[in-house]
Amino acid sequence: RIPLKQFKSIKTQLKEKGELEEFWRNHDPDIFARRYLHCFPADTALSLGTVSERLYDYMNAQYYGVVSVGTPPQRFTVIFDTGSSNFWVPSAYCISEACRVHEKFKSFQSDSYEHKGETFSLQYGTGQLLGVAGKDTLQISNISIKGQDFGESVFEPGLTFALAHFDGVLGLGYPSLSVDNSLPVFDSIMNQQLVEEPVFSFYLKRGDDTENGGELILGGIDHSRYKGSIHWVPVTEKSYWQIHLNNIKIQGRVTFCSHGCEAIVDSGTSLITGPSSQIRRLQQYIGASPAQTGEFLVDCRRLSSLPHISFTIGHHEYKLTAEQYVIKSIEDQTFCMSGFQSLDITTRSGPLWILGDVFMSVFYCIFDRGNDRVGFAKAV
């Protein structure tokens, strides 16, 4: 069991300081790539105009837990991210501002460290994270994983990771999503037979109790965390935890995705995202107005009159009330933020919706690698 803490997201921090618009201007992918191009090795392709998907996710991510790397153990806070597959933490040799304010891994102090002699780079929408690959013992709660592949970042350009509460990211996606053939952490756990079942599950809590943000359970299901029965759906593409959505209903009427569409269940994204054209319409249905900072706002006093929104998955309806799909601000009690956001991700199977933490905090989510399926039950 790994307890999760809930922090203010990077985006919220920037917004509170009035710096969000300036951040977006400076971190436009093309501007960013041009600014930092000279910092990267010649054989690293910095693509212009890429989608800001992963970095956008981390700007909104809010749930973190603690792991340790090395012998003796060195502690780090990480996002447990079902939307990626690599594990990385900052290196003691990192030269970026982001690393100055975070815990750094000192490989020279670890008796169990192995240098792999390779560099790695992870492409984010607004830049790249560069580092070196290594292997070491990873401790998660009472599990000790020997020879885990991981990356030590030496260059984390830009402001995003400097503002983050987390030191690194621990991906829980499928191996096909992994960069540089690194074996994902849960695959190592399965290979080393460290859990009873090849299953992990998330129980996320929303609210003001930041210390108690829920938990990630490795190796099984906590039956006290949900009520009713678990409904299972198959994974349709083994990279992300991708599943099929039958449709999306507003107040019981099919409004989006009427012929079915694909979605990913992603603990590294805090909101529910979908294709721009459909999310714009959805915001109109719930009376949300665009703010200058890119999100959509709803009058908190109108919540009781807003429609419920249901996601039909495996012909079972998962209903969200307005209280569940809006995010209340502690600072401003008048306006609530819509829990829906535009994000265009195109894949072979068409545009993807993301069921992020707004969805996962209402439903207990179980990720079953043994049977390649995802289970949902009503969280208590």
Side-chain angles (χ1 to χ4, degrees), residues 162-183:
L163 293 165
H165 282 283
F166 54 89
D167 301 314
V169 176
L170 192 153
L172 290 165
Y174 278 84
S176 63
L177 206 57
S178 177
V179 173
D180 295 334
N181 297 318
S182 290
L183 191 68

Side-chain angles (χ1 to χ4, degrees), residues 95-113:
I95 58 172
S96 301
E97 172 67 14
C99 298
R100 192 179 62 78
V101 293
H102 286 109
E103 293 298 322
K104 293 173 282 293
F105 179 68
K106 302 173 181 70
S107 57
F108 47 85
Q109 289 183 359
S110 173
D111 297 338
S112 47
Y113 176 75

Side-chain angles (χ1 to χ4, degrees), residues 164-366:
H165 282 283
F166 54 89
D167 301 314
V169 176
L170 192 153
L172 290 165
Y174 278 84
S176 63
L177 206 57
S178 177
V179 173
D180 295 334
N181 297 318
S182 290
L183 191 68
V185 169
F186 200 70
D187 286 77
S188 297
I189 288 173
M190 292 190 295
N191 290 353
Q192 295 177 33
Q193 300 180 328
L194 299 172
V195 289
E196 283 181 30
E197 297 177 81
V199 169
F200 60 89
S201 48
F202 275 92
Y203 173 72
L204 299 184
K205 290 174 72 174
R206 270 172 66 192
D208 301 337
D209 185 1
T210 53
E211 287 300 305
N212 184 12
E215 65 178 359
L216 162 63
I217 298 156
L218 296 175
I221 299 167
D222 184 341
H223 300 287
S224 71
R225 293 301 197 187
Y226 67 91
K227 56 189 178 190
S229 50
I230 298 169
H231 295 272
W232 296 97
V233 286
V235 168
T236 54
E237 187 91 28
K238 292 186 228 175
S239 56
Y240 297 113
W241 285 89
Q242 187 172 319
I243 57 172
H244 186 69
L245 273 182
N246 300 105
N247 58 55
I248 298 167
K249 295 178 181 176
I250 295 186
Q251 208 66 23
R253 290 184 57 193
V254 175
T255 315
F256 303 106
C257 179
S258 53
H259 301 294
C261 53
E262 296 291 294
I264 62 175
V265 190
D266 183 4
S267 60
T269 299
S270 80
L271 307 180
I272 294 173
T273 79
S276 301
S277 57
Q278 297 180 54
I279 292 290
R280 276 197 298 271
R281 278 176 53 214
L282 191 152
Q283 306 287 22
Q284 289 171 355
Y285 275 106
I286 64 172
S289 313
Q292 285 182 313
T293 46
E295 63 251 310
F296 279 73
L297 301 179
V298 178
D299 186 340
C300 298
R301 295 165 299 190
R302 293 185 50 247
L303 293 191
S304 59
S305 65
L306 296 186
H308 59 256
I309 298 176
S310 302
F311 294 82
T312 311
I313 305 168
H315 303 290
H316 186 84
E317 277 191 28
Y318 297 88
K319 185 166 81 175
L320 299 179
T321 64
E323 288 278 349
Q324 291 165 333
Y325 65 67
V326 303
I327 296 163
K328 292 176 179 171
S329 166
I330 298 164
E331 293 75 28
D332 186 351
Q333 300 292 319
T334 318
F335 284 101
C336 292
M337 190 175 100
S338 163
F340 298 98
Q341 183 85 33
S342 299
L343 189 61
D344 293 301
I345 309 170
T346 48
T347 66
R348 286 180 310 178
S349 43
L352 281 183
W353 287 71
I354 297 181
L355 303 177
D357 299 339
V358 164
F359 182 89
M360 290 178 70
S361 58
V362 181
F363 302 101
Y364 183 64
C365 297
I366 304 143

Side-chain angles (χ1 to χ4, degrees), residues 85-99:
S85 294
N86 286 80
F87 169 43
W88 63 266
V89 293
S91 166
Y93 303 109
C94 179
I95 58 172
S96 301
E97 172 67 14
C99 298

